[in-house]
Amino acid sequence: MRKYDLVVIGGGAGGLTAAAGAASMGAKVALIEKEKQPGGDCLHYGCVPSKALIEAAKKIHTARFAADEFGFVLQGELDFPAAIRRVKAAIAHIQKHDDADRFRNMGVDVFQGFGRFKDEHHVEIGHGDVVYGKRIVISTGSRPVIPPIEGLAETGFLTNETVFDLQRLPKRLIVVGAGPIGLELAQSFARFGSQVTVIEYAAGLLGREDQDIVPYIRAALEKELTFLFNAKVHKIEKLVGGEKRVTVLRGDESILLDADEILIATGRRPNTDQLGLENTGVQLDKGYVVVKETLQTTVPHIYAIGDVLRAFPFTHAAGMEGKIVVGNAVFGLRRKVNYEHVPWVTYTDPEIFHLGLTEQEAREKIGVEIRVYKVTLDDVDRFVADREMNGMVKVITDEKGLILGAHTVGKGAGDWMQEIVYAKQSGHKIGNISNVVHPYPTHGAALQRAADQYWRKKLFEGVVPKILKMYIRWFR
């Protein structure tokens, strides 16, 4: 039996970060991954393939829009398998960075198989090897939630783990769930040419987002998608020709929809149910691992990161947690995780950027003593020039100007809003962004315009303007 300073179960973004970091510090590390190659959901089924598909769909959409606007004709039929090949090529390119042999060259012992705890220190790999870990990190990710819908299993369905294997574009696609994954994929397939209907149990879209942002994205998506809100899929039947008939309940109304494919995007669940955690004393809460701020579980030498935690189910958050775990697990540090400055982006078109508190959360937490700065994109020259004016920037601060939250919907928002992440994390006030010289014309000017409002209120409201007028008269 081999013994290790650190055993990492799961080769996704967090697990790879922890394994590489610990090995580089001189620790003896084992990485256990159930798939043939590491990379996790993000590389194989999530971030990378979805963004490759989104970009391919966006190119098709742009070409059609340009043809309508500038009066030329597009000919030929869409080669949908070419888009899927583009997705696979992106995965293959990035896989080189996550390749098992690359980690072996770093000094990590990589085991292919399913890791299961035999006790607090011993992990069995498949039905064979058992390894001992002085410290152990759980990083096994998550998988799609499959709702208990009558006939769903018998008729067949897609998830984010299977949709990228399609070789034929469905003429009619039903997406169950209007979260980020559902919306990103729904819009992409609509742009390829599918007739897409999104069924959502809630009354509206994106409940975690600032409510000033939502109307912009809803208006944009409703031009391309059909939504059924306050609706629930009751049952699914397979028709003679292979099509699927979906019965949807909305209040007292029963709606019948026919589709070629059904995509389930109703959330995710942590991969903890087969880890043998009952043999360890690690506490779970509805399947999620309970951890302290140091990312230690209820068993101090066992840590957990990534989607098995409830907090922030994002790749970049898992990477941050992986870095913290290296210091804590390998060197006994007590570094604490902090999610206050972790942003996220929903990659619809336009994109949605989210950082920190929404206005409602800020008012509930701090009270009325907050400041809100808003700029609509039709007031920003670069967006006007691009003719991409649907969107806004909203920044929430305390009364001193310290950034509490920032929210944006707009073309490429995930890129040009990064400046405020640094500002918030570094403790800068919103006014500091106004003092940064931004090239003209750029999309980032939208954020600068919001920051300019801070100085306008400072200089032109209250007692300051009176003092300035008195000084100017004296100076003359």
Side-chain angles (χ1 to χ4, degrees):
M1 180 179 61
R2 303 184 190 185
K3 294 186 177 182
Y4 293 91
D5 299 310
L6 186 69
V7 172
V8 179
I9 308 174
L16 294 179
T17 299
S24 68
M25 296 295 181
K28 187 177 181 182
V29 180
L31 173 65
I32 303 170
E33 168 55 42
K34 62 182 177 63
E35 303 294 342
K36 292 182 179 179
Q37 286 288 359
D41 183 80
C42 177
L43 175 59
H44 298 113
Y45 314 116
C47 315
V48 173
S50 66
K51 303 314 166 282
L53 192 77
I54 287 169
E55 183 61 24
K58 188 179 293 184
K59 290 181 183 298
I60 299 297
H61 176 75
T62 301
R64 288 178 177 147
F65 184 85
D68 290 340
E69 185 173 13
F70 301 112
F72 62 89
V73 177
L74 293 178
Q75 294 182 337
E77 294 186 4
L78 172 71
D79 183 359
F80 181 71
I84 297 300
R85 290 194 294 271
R86 179 188 178 99
V87 169
K88 301 297 185 182
I91 295 172
H93 185 93
I94 297 175
Q95 180 67 73
K96 298 174 185 177
H97 302 292
D98 295 345
D99 189 85
D101 286 339
R102 179 170 179 264
F103 280 81
R104 291 187 179 102
N105 291 334
M106 295 180 189
V108 177
D109 287 349
V110 181
F111 296 90
Q112 197 267 314
F114 195 94
R116 179 179 173 84
F117 284 91
K118 291 180 69 66
D119 57 38
E120 294 181 355
H121 282 283
H122 294 86
V123 180
E124 183 178 20
I125 305 167
H127 297 288
D129 293 339
V130 175
V131 296
Y132 170 92
K134 184 179 180 181
R135 304 281 187 273
I136 300 174
V137 177
I138 301 169
S139 179
T140 47
S142 62
R143 64 185 185 273
V145 170
I146 308 303
I149 299 172
E150 180 184 342
L152 179 63
E154 292 77 11
T155 55
F157 58 92
L158 302 170
T159 69
N160 73 297
E161 295 184 353
T162 58
V163 69
F164 302 110
D165 293 326
L166 278 177
Q167 289 301 311
R168 180 180 299 176
L169 180 69
K171 292 182 180 179
R172 292 166 298 179
L173 174 68
I174 289 177
V175 178
V176 184
I181 293 174
L183 292 180
E184 290 175 4
L185 292 175
Q187 186 180 41
S188 295
F189 276 91
R191 291 182 164 189
F192 284 127
S194 298
Q195 179 184 335
V196 182
T197 301
V198 180
I199 300 170
E200 171 56 38
Y201 185 76
L205 294 176
L206 303 168
R208 295 181 67 187
E209 301 299 336
D210 189 281
Q211 290 308 294
D212 277 345
I213 296 296
V214 175
Y216 289 94
I217 188 62
R218 178 165 176 168
L221 292 176
E222 284 182 337
K223 294 177 181 178
E224 304 180 55
L225 309 171
T226 299
F227 287 96
L228 292 177
F229 294 108
N230 294 309
K232 179 181 180 181
V233 177
H234 175 60
K235 67 177 180 178
I236 304 172
E237 305 167 84
K238 195 165 189 176
L239 303 180
V240 175
E243 298 173 324
K244 307 167 198 291
R245 176 156 293 170
V246 180
T247 302
V248 180
L249 301 181
R250 185 172 61 179
D252 296 330
E253 183 183 15
S254 181
I255 304 170
L256 295 180
L257 300 173
D258 291 345
D260 302 292
E261 296 288 353
I262 298 171
L263 173 65
I264 301 297
T266 50
R268 313 219 16 116
R269 59 179 295 185
N271 291 326
T272 57
D273 50 325
Q274 299 180 49
L275 283 175
L277 292 176
E278 65 275 8
N279 301 325
T280 66
V282 170
Q283 183 180 344
L284 299 177
D285 178 15
K286 296 181 180 179
Y288 292 94
V289 181
V290 176
V291 294
K292 302 175 183 177
E293 290 179 311
T294 56
L295 298 174
Q296 290 172 290
T297 69
T298 46
V299 179
H301 69 270
I302 299 177
Y303 297 74
I305 58 178
D307 284 8
V308 297
L309 307 183
R310 190 186 293 276
F312 265 68
F314 302 104
T315 297
H316 49 286
M320 175 188 72
E321 292 159 354
K323 293 177 182 178
I324 292 172
V325 157
V326 171
N328 291 357
V330 176
F331 296 105
L333 303 181
R334 305 288 294 175
R335 296 171 63 200
K336 296 180 179 180
V337 67
N338 181 358
Y339 299 104
E340 289 184 7
H341 312 300
V342 179
W344 72 71
V345 178
T346 302
Y347 293 94
T348 48
D349 184 14
E351 292 181 356
I352 306 166
F353 172 90
H354 182 121
L355 173 67
L357 302 178
T358 64
E359 180 179 350
Q360 180 179 351
E361 290 168 341
R363 292 196 185 282
E364 291 173 355
K365 184 175 182 179
I366 296 175
V368 295
E369 298 302 322
I370 65 170
R371 303 289 183 267
V372 179
Y373 307 96
K374 302 179 184 179
V375 173
T376 56
L377 299 188
D378 60 1
D379 198 31
V380 180
D381 292 356
R382 179 58 187 271
F383 288 99
V384 173
D386 290 349
R387 314 310 292 163
E388 295 277 2
M389 297 174 284
N390 178 39
M392 71 172 297
V393 173
K394 180 176 182 178
V395 180
I396 302 110
T397 75
D398 66 11
E399 57 185 341
K400 296 180 180 179
L402 289 172
I403 300 162
L404 303 173
H407 308 275
T408 302
V409 57
K411 173 188 176 183
D415 292 323
W416 50 264
M417 283 295 289
Q418 289 302 306
E419 184 178 12
I420 202 165
V421 180
Y422 174 79
K424 184 176 186 299
Q425 186 170 340
S426 302
H428 291 292
K429 296 181 179 180
I430 182 65
N432 296 143
I433 295 177
S434 177
N435 294 329
V436 175
V437 179
H438 294 76
Y440 178 87
T442 60
H443 299 113
L447 178 58
Q448 185 183 26
R449 293 290 296 273
D452 288 345
Q453 292 178 16
Y454 170 84
W455 291 115
R456 290 196 192 100
K457 291 185 178 182
K458 273 279 190 185
L459 297 176
F460 301 113
E461 296 179 8
V463 70
V464 174
K466 297 178 182 178
I467 296 174
L468 289 176
K469 287 180 181 178
M470 293 174 58
Y471 176 80
I472 290 171
R473 291 194 191 101
W474 172 82
F475 182 73
R476 287 177 177 172

